[in-house]
Structure formats: C-alpha cells, structure tokens
Amino acid sequence: VPVIPQDFIRCKMNYILMEKHLPIKKIVFIGPEELKTEVEALSEIKCDKQFIDENDIIPFPKVNAAIKNRVEREGYTVAGNSRPGWYYQQFLKMQYSYICEDEYYMVWDSDTIPIKDIDVCNADGKPYLDVKVEHNQPYFDTINTLFSDIGKVIDFSFISEHMLFKTEKMKELIKAIEDTKLIGDTFYEKIFSA
C-alpha cells in the first residue's frame, strides 16, 4: 500500500477491512520516512505489517527529475501538482518486485475499501484479473510506444485500484522497458520518453 502520512491516518479503517476481506498474510506500507512511526503504532490490524521507506525503493527526486527532463526536452506541461506523486506511486508499485520475496504481491490504493471477501485466485491458484471498461487513450499510446508490436486486442482495460502481480513477470516487464531504445536508463525514464 503506497501511502502518504495524511492519507494513512484518514484511511486506517481501510487497512482493517483489507485484513478482513483479502487473503493476505502481511500488509506492506510504502511511504516517506515520517510514516514509519504511524505504521509501527497501528494496532488495529493483527496480520504482519511492514514499513518500507519509499526512497529505499526509488528516490522521489530521481523520478521528479525524470519528469522535469521530459517536460524541458519536449515542452510538455505536467497537469496539476499531484501528477509527479501519482507517477511516483505507479513506479514504486513496479519496483517493489525487486524486494518482494513472494511469488505474487497485490498493490492496493490506500483510498479504496474492500467491502466483502475477495478471492484473488481461482480454485487452481490462477489469479483473477480485474477489468474495466475505462479507456484512457494516453495509457494505450504509451504501451504502443514502449512495445510497438503490442496493440490493444481486447475491449477492456486492466486499469484498477488494485492489482495482483506475479513478481517475476513484473521484473521481466521492467527489464523489457529498460531494454527499449527510448531515452533514459531506468524504466521510469523510458516510460516518460514514451
């Protein structure tokens, strides 16, 4: 759960419901260093909990610099003050695969609530994928720029407030992005180039 301190406090009830309705063994909170004390004091959840300083995964200044480089290089503007933080959150979710020790990990937006039990895998252990009818064209344009041989082949998207990731597949995706010829060295620089 990537979260900032003010949202952590506001969303405490969400974490109790995550523990109640999701098949989890641990909740990992990723955020700024000042969140550590709040996570350690969270007694409302009984499962294991862990705090990881977001800057130990990807330092925010590096992502912010990559955004600024793209803006300066192409003359684009960034919509709103929250956009760098939104991009940063997405990259933290991806990069977490390099420290995750489990076969799968679920990312969950801190401001969403599971209101009933949710199965994330079928009886054979195969994960379910949530789909939406939402169509955000820039999202698909970026995918097409990153991987020219992949086009939209289905009528729905996987844009969701939560997602179950297979750790090794996320690492493969990051490597594939970093292997592109786009500008940048890191996967997030290349995504901004796309």
Side-chain angles (χ1 to χ4, degrees):
V1 179
V3 64
I4 56 178
Q6 58 267 36
D7 289 343
F8 179 85
I9 293 165
R10 180 177 55 86
C11 296
K12 277 188 179 180
M13 185 61 180
N14 299 13
Y15 312 134
I16 296 166
L17 293 172
M18 285 178 200
E19 180 181 40
K20 179 179 179 181
H21 294 302
L22 298 173
I24 58 176
K25 60 182 179 180
K26 173 173 68 174
I27 299 178
V28 178
F29 296 95
I30 299 172
E33 184 178 356
E34 61 267 24
L35 184 63
K36 182 177 183 179
T37 305
E38 294 287 338
V39 170
E40 289 172 347
L42 181 65
S43 61
E44 292 87 350
I45 60 171
K46 305 303 178 219
C47 70
D48 286 344
K49 61 182 180 291
Q50 179 182 3
F51 168 77
I52 300 176
D53 185 327
E54 62 193 15
N55 286 296
D56 290 342
I57 297 176
I58 303 174
F60 178 74
K62 288 187 175 187
V63 172
N64 204 32
I67 292 170
K68 287 181 180 178
N69 287 342
R70 173 66 169 159
V71 168
E72 291 170 5
R73 188 173 63 247
E74 301 293 337
Y76 291 115
T77 58
V78 177
N81 292 332
S82 65
R83 265 340 212 187
W86 181 86
Y87 285 116
Y88 184 51
Q89 183 184 105
Q90 308 318 308
F91 301 144
L92 287 170
K93 292 172 183 178
M94 295 172 71
Q95 187 70 21
Y96 177 75
S97 64
Y98 284 94
I99 59 175
C100 181
E101 296 176 356
D102 297 305
E103 183 179 7
Y104 292 96
Y105 66 98
M106 176 176 277
V107 296
W108 194 281
D109 289 353
S110 68
D111 61 349
T112 60
I113 304 170
I115 57 172
K116 62 180 183 174
D117 289 354
I118 298 174
D119 291 324
V120 297
C121 295
N122 68 15
D124 296 329
K126 188 173 181 178
Y128 292 120
L129 293 175
D130 291 327
V131 295
K132 300 273 183 112
V133 294
E134 180 177 340
H135 182 88
N136 183 333
Q137 191 58 45
Y139 174 82
F140 295 104
D141 292 344
T142 301
I143 292 171
N144 287 335
T145 302
L146 287 168
F147 307 107
S148 58
D149 59 337
I150 298 176
K152 186 166 173 50
V153 295
I154 53 177
D155 291 334
F156 46 83
S157 77
F158 299 98
I159 298 170
S160 181
E161 294 77 16
H162 64 279
M163 176 71 68
L164 187 65
F165 291 104
K166 188 164 187 170
T167 304
E168 286 305 313
K169 292 294 181 190
M170 180 56 75
K171 290 178 188 176
E172 289 173 18
L173 176 64
I174 291 171
K175 182 174 179 347
I177 293 169
E178 289 180 343
D179 286 346
T180 67
K181 303 235 183 281
L182 294 164
I183 296 170
D185 296 319
T186 64
F187 73 95
Y188 53 87
E189 290 170 319
K190 291 181 181 257
I191 288 172
F192 287 132
S193 292

